[in-house]
């Protein structure tokens, strides 16, 4: 029987998350290689524009579930909807981007279907009767080779693991009926406190500027903001600075923070402790700015700038503005 892959398309504020398109592109590749199909599912309070946009990323079919309940990103309705979708579509592999949202439901969904889950993969491939691949563990000190058999297998994939490939198709769009009443929801949503909406999502950012303890004051943080703004980059921080309250904890990169893999990562005043590196080691190009030439971050950097950030950043930013 041919493999049917199904990618869950994560949507925020009406925008498709790039990390989901990376997973869909990989599933398309595998479907082509193994002679299967690669469908996408959108679950949202408003799906039509998203389903149309998805056509340019090559799914063989698009499934949608639309209901106002999805506006608030609550787990219970999403879990119920995905469960229904899996029953209807009968995929052999269900793939998510590894996000806070998918972390919440992947295990529950797999348990609900008595199926295997492989979370947080950095590579995946179809195997005989299942999925195999690689998964960084213990702050990326170990890369484990993992495999799960059965159908379906639920997986999630780290952002930045694959490129997004455009490939215009004309797939059928199928709406899956779904109903959910407020009584089904066992919680009451009281308030949503949003992070600043002009902040670039670290998981989605093509470039990330990360600040470390070397960034000592408001002047330093201004320089970080300016550099990020010139590069249209997301801002991250080491734990030294999130613990000191200089940056929001949600911006922490590392073992106990976010895992990012942008095209460009610039670490400013960051030493490169293993716990920080665990969160950025998969970045495509790493630039380090540090006044200590022996800082460990230079061991993993593609480009290094040895100097006092307060002196080197202003001319660096000016040069970038000219590009
Ligand atoms: P430091 O190590 O103090 O480095 C500051 C750097 O700035 C130095 O290299 C210095 O040379 C340079 N510098 C100083 N002044 C200037 C200047 N003017 N110009 C240029 N360079 C300058 N850390 C994380 O980041 N993320 C995590 O998720 C995380 N999880 C952890 C989990 C555990 C269980 C533990 C034990 C630790 C964890 N840590 C984490 C902490 C980690 O071990 C380091 O302490 C932390 O990453 C150090 O942050 P830093 O590089 O900003 O600071």
């Amino acid at each position: 029987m041919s493999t049917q892959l199904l990618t869950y398309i994560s949507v925020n504020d009406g925008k498709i998350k790039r990390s989901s398109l990376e997973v869909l592109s990989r599933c398309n590749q595998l479907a082509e290689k193994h002679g299967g199909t690669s469908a996408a599912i959108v679950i949202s309070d408003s799906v039509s524009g998203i389903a149309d946009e998805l056509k340019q990323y090559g799914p063989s079919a698009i499934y949608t579930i639309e209901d106002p309940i999805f506006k608030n990103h609550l787990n219970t309705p999403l879990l119920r909807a995905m469960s229904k979708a899996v029953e209807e579509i009968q995929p052999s592999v269900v793939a998510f981007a590894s996000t806070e949202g998918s972390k919440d439901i992947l295990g529950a969904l797999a348990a609900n279907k008595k199926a295997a889950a492989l979370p947080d993969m950095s590579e995946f491939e179809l195997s005989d009767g299942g999925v195999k691949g690689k998964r960084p563990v213990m702050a990326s000190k170990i890369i484990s080779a993992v495999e799960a058999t059965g159908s379906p297998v639920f997986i999630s994939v780290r952002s930045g693991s694959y490129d997004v490939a455009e490939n215009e198709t004309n797939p059928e769009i199928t709406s899956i009926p779904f109903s959910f009443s407020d009584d089904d929801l066992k919680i009451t949503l009281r308030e949503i406190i949003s992070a600043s909406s002009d902040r670039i999502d670290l998981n989605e950012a093509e470039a990330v500027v990360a600040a470390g303890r070397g960034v000592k004051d408001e002047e330093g943080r201004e320089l970080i903001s300016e550099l990020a703004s010139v590069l249209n980059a997301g801002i991250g921080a080491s734990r030294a600075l999130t613990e000191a309250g200089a940056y929001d904890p949600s911006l922490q990169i590392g073992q106990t923070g976010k895992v990012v893999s942008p095209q460009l990562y610039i670490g400013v005043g960051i030493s490169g402790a293993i716990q920080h590196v665990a969160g950025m080691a998969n970045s495509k190009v790493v630039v380090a700015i540090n006044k200590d030439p022996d800082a460990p971050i230079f061991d993993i950097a593609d480009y290094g700038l040895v100097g006092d950030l307060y002196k080197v950043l202003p001319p660096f930013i000016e040069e970038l503005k000219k590009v």
Side-chain angles (χ1 to χ4, degrees):
M1 204 180 80
S2 73
T3 305
Q4 185 172 1
L5 299 117
L6 178 67
T7 302
Y8 169 77
I9 301 297
S10 181
V11 177
N12 202 10
D13 282 339
K15 283 204 201 100
I16 299 175
K17 289 205 165 190
R18 186 175 59 97
S19 47
S20 302
L21 296 176
E22 293 168 4
V23 179
L24 175 62
S25 299
R26 174 61 177 163
C27 286
N28 292 346
Q29 259 178 11
L30 291 176
E32 200 177 314
K33 180 172 163 192
H34 296 273
T37 56
S38 170
I41 177 147
V42 183
I43 298 177
S44 174
D45 57 319
S46 167
V47 297
S48 63
I50 294 158
D52 280 343
E53 192 184 337
L54 261 185
K55 290 178 181 169
Q56 60 185 299
Y57 298 102
S60 52
I62 297 174
Y63 296 93
T64 61
I65 298 184
E66 188 173 53
D67 193 289
I69 190 77
F70 299 118
K71 189 170 173 44
N72 292 326
H73 302 281
L74 296 169
N75 290 337
T76 314
L78 181 58
L79 189 57
R80 185 87 66 83
M82 269 311 281
S83 207
K84 173 100 194 286
V86 170
E87 262 163 50
E88 299 261 324
I89 304 165
Q90 298 277 316
S92 15
V93 179
V94 183
F96 294 79
S98 188
T99 61
E100 270 82 5
S102 70
K103 271 180 199 142
D104 281 344
I105 71 159
L106 189 78
L109 195 52
N112 179 298
K113 298 290 172 207
K114 298 193 169 34
L118 295 174
D120 221 16
M121 309 276 281
S122 56
E123 275 179 48
F124 71 104
E125 171 59 275
L126 300 180
S127 65
D128 205 8
V131 177
K132 65 181 177 183
K134 295 197 173 146
R135 177 169 186 247
V137 290
M138 298 186 70
S140 298
K141 272 187 267 184
I142 297 173
I143 307 292
S144 56
V146 288
E147 180 163 2
T149 50
S151 181
V153 173
F154 294 89
I155 67 169
S156 69
V157 185
R158 286 187 174 206
S159 72
S161 300
Y162 294 99
D163 292 330
V164 175
E166 292 200 21
N167 172 21
E168 183 98 33
T169 49
N170 196 15
E172 202 174 318
I173 300 177
T174 308
S175 163
I176 298 176
F178 178 75
S179 68
F180 195 91
S181 81
D182 284 348
D183 294 342
D184 294 328
L185 201 59
K186 301 281 185 278
I187 59 165
T188 308
L189 181 68
R190 294 201 183 281
E191 189 188 358
I192 294 185
I193 303 161
S194 307
S196 150
S197 60
D198 54 4
R199 188 193 283 169
I200 296 173
D201 181 351
L202 273 183
N203 289 118
E204 299 290 300
E206 300 247 339
V208 168
V209 175
R213 208 193 311 261
V215 178
K216 291 188 178 63
D217 49 19
E218 189 54 39
E219 186 194 343
R221 291 192 290 277
E222 277 293 318
L223 288 170
I224 295 293
S225 299
E226 232 187 299
L227 178 59
S229 147
V230 175
L231 294 167
N232 195 27
I235 294 179
S238 72
R239 182 154 135 179
L241 287 193
T242 56
E243 277 190 341
Y247 286 92
D248 191 89
S250 66
L251 301 183
Q252 182 177 314
I253 293 173
Q255 181 184 337
T256 42
K258 287 209 161 92
V259 175
V260 299
S261 35
Q263 299 296 319
L264 172 67
Y265 162 98
I266 305 185
V268 185
I270 287 188
S271 59
I274 178 87
Q275 295 90 352
H276 182 80
V277 171
M280 46 64 70
N282 283 340
S283 305
K284 299 278 182 312
V285 175
V286 174
V287 177
I289 300 176
N290 197 304
K291 67 178 183 188
D292 174 6
D294 295 324
I297 191 131
F298 287 125
D299 296 342
I300 56 153
D302 299 289
Y303 299 94
L305 182 50
V306 178
D308 181 342
L309 68 94
Y310 290 88
K311 294 199 179 112
V312 299
L313 276 187
F316 187 54
I317 292 166
E318 283 316 307
E319 283 306 311
L320 284 173
K321 281 184 184 162
K322 292 180 195 159
V323 178

